[in-house]
Amino acid sequence: MGISPIQLLIVLVIVVLIFGGKRLRSLGSDLGHAIKGFKEVNKEDKEAKTKAQERVRHDQTDDDVIEGEVKKEDHTH
């Protein structure tokens, strides 16, 4: 039981009559800007998480560990 094209057209005509063409255009534009902004913020958030995960992985590696041995010298003469 979906919406038929005729029903969709009737709803669209009613919306245009209520809001008017100009106001509907500005609402569509505002909605487009909001969606674009949401996508940008979501992308930046994903990039920040990826960078944080890379830092954690780098900090967890043992590449920077220097192994050595401590020897005690005997200074008795």
Side-chain angles (χ1 to χ4, degrees), residues 6-72:
I6 301 286
Q7 291 172 330
L8 192 59
L9 185 62
I10 291 171
V11 170
L12 182 61
V13 168
I14 292 172
V15 169
V16 169
L17 288 174
I18 292 173
F19 291 109
K22 186 176 181 180
R23 190 167 177 197
L24 214 60
R25 238 180 283 124
S26 67
L27 285 174
S29 176
D30 291 344
L31 181 62
H33 288 294
I35 291 172
K36 183 179 177 182
F38 176 76
K39 286 181 179 180
E40 287 176 2
V41 168
N42 195 23
K43 181 181 176 183
E44 290 171 0
D45 188 41
K46 284 182 181 180
E47 289 174 356
K49 285 180 182 178
T50 302
K51 287 180 182 179
Q53 288 173 345
E54 288 174 0
R55 280 194 304 267
V56 168
R57 269 187 250 131
H58 178 69
D59 291 345
Q60 290 176 347
T61 60
D62 292 334
D63 294 341
D64 296 336
V65 175
I66 299 174
E67 294 188 25
E69 185 177 322
V70 177
K71 294 183 180 179
K72 183 177 180 181

